[in-house]
Amino acid sequence: LHAAAVGARGVQALVYNAGIFGTPDDASVEGTPTSVYRKVMEVNFFGCVETVRAFLPLVRSVKGKIIINASICGQIGLMYMSNYTASKFAVRGWADCLRREVAPLGTSVTVLECAYVNTPIYEKARTGIHGAKAPPPEIYRDQTKFLANFIREGEEIGIAPAAVAAAVVETAQAASPPARV
């Protein structure tokens, strides 16, 4: 999308909503390959940075709103989710910086920090980004039940994506959107 295609209308609201949960065979910090951290950061953090930067002039031109769907994992580190959590902390910190830079120019930035949202991310977390999962090393076996429970709970009690969409619409329509939802 280029400025010529949008014209003087600019972009009233930009919503960033992309992310992966890159669990490897062994999701511990010790067992997660650097390649998994890089892949998750590339999608979850750098994808956000590049998308927002590409559209920022169009949003800023009309004093629009930027809404970034991050995660509650940007507030608390959870074991066996270090790659995902690190990426969401990065998004949250970056969005805080962006908000302070563009607020004086009339553009708002809101970070959505939902907990469980019932999406295919949980099914994908079962196999990780490298295919079928192998059991973790014996030293972590009992502790990795946390991750299995997290995935199961996400599927069982996760809010519907429509609820997140409603929060996005409400934020986009707000005269003064909050920093976090």
Side-chain angles (χ1 to χ4, degrees):
L1 184 67
H2 297 285
V6 175
R9 297 174 299 171
V11 173
Q12 297 294 324
L14 172 65
V15 179
Y16 183 80
N17 182 47
I20 61 172
F21 187 84
T23 56
D25 293 343
D26 173 5
S28 69
V29 169
E30 182 179 11
T32 301
T34 301
S35 62
V36 172
Y37 283 96
R38 290 184 193 284
K39 174 73 174 177
V40 172
M41 290 298 282
E42 186 64 37
V43 173
N44 296 1
F45 176 65
F46 290 112
C48 178
V49 170
E50 290 179 16
T51 301
V52 171
R53 287 178 55 193
F55 285 91
L56 185 56
L58 297 170
V59 176
R60 195 181 58 244
S61 72
V62 294
K63 299 182 179 185
K65 298 171 176 88
I66 298 169
I67 303 164
I68 300 170
N69 192 359
S71 170
I72 196 71
C73 289
Q75 292 183 20
I76 184 169
L78 300 174
M79 62 183 179
Y80 304 105
M81 296 174 52
S82 62
N83 55 74
Y84 182 78
T85 298
S87 73
K88 296 306 181 175
F89 266 85
V91 167
R92 184 178 189 214
W94 180 80
D96 282 348
C97 295
L98 176 64
R99 179 177 38 261
R100 287 175 172 86
E101 289 179 18
V102 300
L105 307 174
T107 299
S108 68
V109 177
T110 299
V111 176
L112 301 180
E113 296 176 318
C114 303
Y116 295 111
V117 181
N118 197 354
T119 69
I121 197 168
Y122 299 109
E123 179 59 33
K124 292 175 183 176
R126 274 198 185 79
T127 58
I129 62 176
H130 295 296
K133 289 179 63 80
E138 189 63 37
I139 191 170
Y140 293 118
R141 190 148 335 227
D142 290 339
Q143 296 174 11
T144 57
K145 292 176 185 172
F146 170 85
L147 183 57
N149 288 336
F150 179 86
I151 292 168
R152 182 185 45 74
E153 286 177 6
E155 292 173 323
E156 291 175 3
I157 67 170
I159 63 172
V164 177
V168 167
V169 170
E170 183 178 332
T171 301
Q173 294 174 342
S176 297
R180 291 183 180 78
V181 173

